[in-house]
Amino acid sequence: MGYARACSVALVGVEGVVVEVQADLEPGVAAFTLVGLPDKSLIESRDRVRAAVVNSGAEWPQKKLTVGLSPASVPKSGSGFDLAVACAVLGAAERLDPAAIADVVMIGELGLDGRVRPVRGVLPAVLAAAEAGYQQVVVPEQTAGEAALVPGVSVLGVRSLRQLIAILCDEPVPDEPVDGRGRPDAMLAGLMVPGTGLGAGLAPASSRGEGHIPDLADVAGQPRPRKALEVAAAGGHHLLFSGPPGAGKTMLAERLSAVLPPLTRQESLEVTAVHSVAGILPPGEPLVSRAPYCAPHHSATMQSLVGGGNGMPRPGAVSLAHRGVLFLDEAPEFSGKALDALRQPLESGHVVVARAAGVVRLPARFLMVLAANPCPCGRHSLTGAGCECPPSVVRRYQARLSGPLLDRVDLRVEVEPVDRADLLEQGGRGESTAVVAARVREARARAAERLAGTPWTTNSEVPGHELRTRLLAAPGALAAAERDLERGLLTARGLDRVLRVAWTVADLRGAPRPEDRDIAVALELRTGIQRGAPMEMGAL
């Protein structure tokens, strides 16, 4: 009787659970049994592993073989267990030393010829292995860079099973030829889900072409929306653009991700882990360093927004936009069920998806930007434009964005049509993305210094209790906001969000705390009521 074990990782959402792959050989009729709650793709690994072992020059044991995946109560899916199953079988057959593979985590799919193919979710899998105390990891060669992002783990990238056998047995490592015929590497197909990428709204439309990078200087006029965009980036505040078609709402939103500061190391690992699991991590770019941008179509379902799918839930748009921008263009055209599902992640920064196969907690701390027309035809706010929508239709259309959802939006800005002087650049070009991004970085640095020692990093995360007890505004600065609260123009949540925006405006000005002018700007951006606050870019 032979026994050996190796380790792999089962992913549940974006979190990993180390799985012990145990192989047991007993005398009897040759059979291969796989137990431990595997899914269909994992059950098929029996045939893949057998063919890969034989084609790698090793002998397949002609005995009763049982492979167990422990803990058996955790659902296992995917083909990433193939490499661990093959090594456990070879260890039980004494082709490999069982002690050499007992504490090695192996992740990878096997081809029938013995090549090791990359799989999705390598980074969260290696993170889970490191947290569990494992120090040696074997991954496909194509994903070795992604796995090496985890500190304190020794990563071995292999191209084939025969290479791994030679390394473990201290034999000469065979050279595996690389397909150099100039066509795309077929081995990378396992990293990308068909239909994802740029076509799924994961990058600004204007950046998909070659040679042109979206810049705020391309936006003609619009001083108030530009300032709202800067305030949103500096404090992480949610934003609503409303106005007629062609005014520049989408153009502004597409430039927001470039204004956001670069991701920190921890944030980059979080975003990379989500994108790796979702299959949208570009090959050759193991670490996401810039804020992501996700713009789903208005026909998206609730499951595609918050996460779901068959079996264990997969990350949705709110998770793909983690630490970045979620842009909902034509927001009233989204289903009310899908929009209201955004309430929880907007408040908590994560989403909990419960399905029959299990419950998954996915990160979802994003900056939401909504764009909406005033009516179905879009001409309701234009003077003399000939809007023929009845008042009841206009009210019904605007009511598609529910009150509880809008109450979570800090900034609500009306985007006016561009006049001739601004469009023909007679009024001069606006500030570039680099200039605005520099101010945003300085404002965030001030906020981070003020919030040092707390679990918050941006003004939008600070609870209202802290704003009313410890982080106080200047004396008398809240008089206008208190009047709006008494009149019913603001809710209690709305007052807290006005304070957060005021702190961001003060950080952009370099002020030590919000004054009455900062509260006036925050109220105007929140309620849309003109209060005489300076909105020019130079006023900051």
Side-chain angles (χ1 to χ4, degrees):
M1 183 178 73
Y3 172 83
R5 65 184 178 90
C7 295
S8 191
V9 178
L11 290 177
V12 182
V14 294
E15 299 177 356
V17 178
V18 177
V19 173
E20 192 174 88
V21 181
Q22 306 166 344
D24 178 72
L25 283 175
E26 296 180 357
V29 179
F32 189 172
T33 305
L34 184 64
V35 297
L37 215 57
D39 71 342
K40 180 64 175 177
S41 61
L42 186 49
I43 291 176
E44 293 174 348
S45 68
R46 295 179 299 185
D47 301 318
R48 290 195 302 270
V49 169
R50 182 188 293 109
V53 168
V54 173
N55 290 327
S56 298
E59 183 180 353
W60 184 261
Q62 298 299 321
K63 295 181 180 180
K64 181 181 179 182
L65 172 61
T66 303
V67 174
L69 308 175
S70 178
S73 59
V74 176
K76 292 108 184 153
S77 61
S79 55
F81 295 88
D82 290 1
L83 197 58
V85 171
C87 289
V89 172
L90 293 175
E94 299 182 353
R95 176 65 178 87
L96 299 176
D97 182 9
I101 62 174
D103 294 323
V104 179
V105 176
M106 302 180 183
I107 305 165
E109 176 187 335
L110 287 175
L112 299 184
D113 57 353
R115 290 185 300 171
V116 181
R117 304 178 64 93
V119 294
R120 302 189 298 271
V122 168
L123 177 59
V126 177
L127 284 171
E131 292 176 358
Y134 291 87
Q135 299 178 348
Q136 293 181 313
V137 177
V138 179
V139 298
E141 187 180 53
Q142 292 86 348
T143 58
E146 182 181 344
L149 297 173
V150 182
V153 176
S154 176
V155 178
L156 173 62
V158 295
R159 195 174 296 169
S160 67
L161 179 60
R162 61 178 65 91
Q163 281 188 343
L164 180 57
I165 294 174
I167 293 172
L168 293 175
C169 295
D170 200 15
E171 299 173 355
V173 180
D175 186 23
E176 295 291 343
V178 180
D179 187 3
R181 284 175 273 188
R183 62 191 181 191
D185 189 359
M187 298 289 286
L188 298 176
L191 296 177
M192 298 291 289
V193 176
T196 60
L198 297 180
L202 294 170
S206 51
S207 68
R208 299 172 198 170
E210 297 181 358
H212 179 71
I213 300 176
D215 196 296
L216 267 176
D218 302 331
V219 180
Q222 306 295 4
R224 190 182 303 270
R226 287 173 63 100
K227 181 171 182 179
L229 201 74
E230 182 175 342
V231 172
H237 306 288
H238 306 303
L239 177 62
L240 168 65
F241 285 138
S242 59
K249 302 186 294 295
T250 303
M251 196 175 185
L252 285 162
E254 288 179 343
R255 283 148 178 79
L256 178 56
S257 59
V259 179
L260 294 174
L263 301 178
T264 64
R265 176 73 177 185
Q266 180 61 33
E267 292 172 347
S268 295
L269 290 177
E270 293 175 5
V271 174
T272 303
V274 175
H275 287 201
S276 179
V277 170
I280 62 172
L281 193 64
E285 298 182 16
L287 186 66
V288 179
S289 58
R290 295 183 300 176
Y293 173 92
C294 185
H297 192 260
H298 61 258
S299 62
T301 62
M302 183 185 72
Q303 289 75 14
S304 66
L305 283 181
V306 301
N310 296 327
M312 291 301 294
R314 298 180 59 83
V318 296
S319 297
L320 301 182
H322 180 58
R323 301 294 182 183
V325 177
L326 176 67
F327 176 47
L328 302 183
D329 199 5
E330 305 294 346
E333 301 295 339
F334 282 81
S335 70
K337 185 178 180 182
L339 288 175
D340 288 338
L342 300 176
R343 298 184 196 175
Q344 183 219 354
L346 285 175
E347 288 289 333
S348 62
H350 64 268
V351 59
V352 178
V353 184
R355 296 291 185 269
V359 179
V360 172
R361 184 180 185 272
L362 300 169
R365 188 170 295 282
F366 55 90
L367 198 163
M368 183 180 68
V369 181
L370 303 175
N373 293 328
C375 67
C377 75
R379 301 190 297 269
H380 178 69
S381 59
L382 299 178
T383 304
C387 175
E388 298 180 354
C389 301
S392 59
V393 173
V394 175
R395 287 194 302 269
R396 193 180 310 116
Y397 186 81
Q398 296 178 351
R400 293 181 181 178
L401 299 178
S402 65
L405 177 65
L406 291 179
D407 201 33
R408 290 165 168 82
V409 178
D410 302 344
L411 311 173
R412 308 172 191 175
V413 182
E414 185 75 24
V415 182
E416 302 290 343
V418 183
D419 57 26
R420 179 174 58 87
D422 289 331
L423 191 60
L424 300 179
E425 296 187 6
Q426 296 176 4
R429 288 171 60 88
E431 291 180 318
S432 66
T433 296
V435 175
V436 177
R439 282 202 301 266
V440 168
R441 286 194 298 270
E442 293 176 1
R444 288 224 176 183
R446 295 188 187 98
E449 182 180 359
R450 181 175 63 252
L451 299 175
T454 69
W456 318 295
T457 56
T458 60
N459 293 323
S460 63
E461 302 172 5
V462 181
H465 175 73
E466 292 287 324
L467 295 172
R468 294 188 297 269
T469 57
R470 190 170 67 89
L471 302 175
L472 299 176
L478 289 176
E482 292 171 354
R483 287 195 299 269
D484 284 1
L485 181 64
E486 293 175 354
R487 296 171 182 170
L489 296 177
L490 283 179
T491 62
R493 181 193 284 121
L495 179 62
D496 292 342
R497 293 186 177 274
V498 166
L499 289 174
R500 294 169 185 167
V501 174
W503 271 105
T504 301
V505 176
D507 288 336
L508 287 169
R509 288 198 305 112
R513 59 179 177 176
E515 300 174 358
D516 52 356
R517 59 182 292 187
D518 303 317
I519 298 294
V521 172
L523 285 171
E524 187 166 334
L525 292 175
R526 169 78 182 183
T527 62
I529 301 174
Q530 302 290 334
R531 300 170 187 270
M535 286 292 175
E536 295 78 12
M537 296 307 299
L540 294 179

